[in-house]
Amino acid sequence: MADDLWTAVDRYIADVMIPADPVLDAALEASERAGLPRIAVSPPQGKLLHILARSQGARTILEIGTLGGYSTIWLARALPPNGRLVTLEADPRHAEVARANFRQGHLDHVIDLRLGKALDTLPQIAAEGLGPFDLVFIDADKESIIHYFEWSLRLTKPGSTIIVDNVVRNGAVIDPASTDPMVRGVRAFNERLTREPRVTATAIQTVGGKGYDGFTIALVLG
Ligand code: SAH
Ligand code: DHB
Ligand code: MG
């Protein structure tokens, strides 16, 4: 019941502030047609990522977990000319749908999609000297968040932000006895955050069309 209201309010927010957009809408439709899971960020969340990237003046963005590229497109559109976004995806089917969506949105020259498990492609990104990134969006398998965070620290600089999706999981995050690998992944990451002096972080709970979840936002310090 609460979910229905959250979804209705998300729709209302979108009606007021997020005009229909042929590229973003087509990206979701193509993802749906291809049978991809319906787990992209919601439109208000996508626009939040876009605004955060823009307000920080991000020129380089790293995304871990592309799916059909919906969040990628929101983020890529925040970049100035000559900006660059690297996005990492392990599933070839997802990558294929995302690449078509990027072409459709004329963003394929801005977005560099690397196919492969992120823990394999991240060392390559580092070796190629593609960092430092101004913003990192971590949204792949939750079990590995802690490793993606380690790589994010290596690939950012003071003033960069690291954003992590799905950190509340219906409130399950507060259960220390949880056996859900996603929850355990988030909690391991949080324990790591507690002991990390190089960032200052908060987490914000969200409700909406995607249910009850949240984002962590970490600022990399000097
Ligand atoms: N950021 C997207 C949603 C990503 S869903 C959006 O909001 O639009 C999570 C994605 O991470 C899935 O496409 C999944 O295939 C991918 N993924 C899962 N494990 C991964 C791994 N080890 N390396 C890279 N990508 C992975
Ligand atoms: C789910 C949601 C996400 O945003 C994600 O990145 C992965 C999984 C989910 O609801 O299962
Ligand atoms: Mg997510």
Side-chain angles (χ1 to χ4, degrees):
M1 218 163 65
D3 272 72
D4 289 346
L5 183 57
W6 301 338
T7 301
V9 174
D10 249 8
R11 208 172 295 125
Y12 170 76
I13 292 168
D15 284 346
V16 177
M17 286 169 260
I18 311 177
D21 180 287
V23 172
L24 286 165
D25 298 347
L28 285 183
E29 280 157 26
S31 302
E32 183 86 4
R33 265 199 313 279
L36 268 47
R38 300 175 65 171
I39 55 174
V41 293
S42 69
Q45 291 173 344
K47 193 159 184 186
L48 172 68
L49 294 173
H50 174 88
I51 289 170
L52 289 172
R54 250 172 96 173
S55 57
Q56 150 176 62
R59 301 179 144 277
T60 50
I61 297 176
L62 172 65
E63 177 180 67
I64 307 176
T66 316
L67 192 64
Y70 182 74
S71 57
T72 323
I73 293 169
W74 272 114
L75 285 166
R77 284 177 165 180
L79 290 168
N82 306 321
R84 199 150 176 77
L85 187 154
V86 178
T87 185
L88 312 182
E89 175 55 55
D91 187 319
R93 248 172 17 97
H94 298 183
E96 191 186 326
V97 173
R99 284 199 169 112
N101 288 335
F102 302 153
R103 271 195 301 277
Q104 184 82 12
H106 306 288
L107 288 163
D108 42 330
H109 59 291
V110 177
I111 301 170
D112 177 0
L113 189 159
R114 301 292 176 101
L115 178 62
K117 286 190 189 303
L119 288 179
D120 295 331
T121 50
L122 281 162
Q124 294 168 14
I125 304 287
E128 288 175 41
L130 290 179
F133 294 93
D134 300 314
L135 186 151
V136 181
F137 180 46
I138 299 178
D139 193 21
D141 54 314
K142 312 308 167 190
E143 294 86 333
S144 299
I145 294 175
I146 191 164
H147 305 298
Y148 300 147
F149 177 67
E150 297 293 348
W151 277 104
S152 300
L153 286 175
R154 284 187 54 176
L155 291 167
T156 51
K157 62 181 194 317
S160 298
T161 52
I162 302 168
I163 304 172
V164 186
D165 194 23
N166 311 115
V167 298
V168 173
R169 309 298 309 171
N170 259 312
V173 67
I174 62 171
D175 178 8
S178 175
T179 54
D180 178 343
M182 284 191 171
V183 172
R184 294 176 69 90
V186 173
R187 287 184 62 89
F189 163 57
N190 287 339
E191 281 156 34
R192 177 72 183 73
L193 262 186
T194 304
R195 295 179 286 102
E196 179 50 68
R198 283 173 291 176
V199 303
T200 185
T202 188
I204 291 296
Q205 306 182 69
T206 57
V207 296
K210 285 196 70 184
Y212 170 32
D213 215 323
F215 290 107
T216 293
I217 302 182
L219 174 67
V220 179
L221 303 173

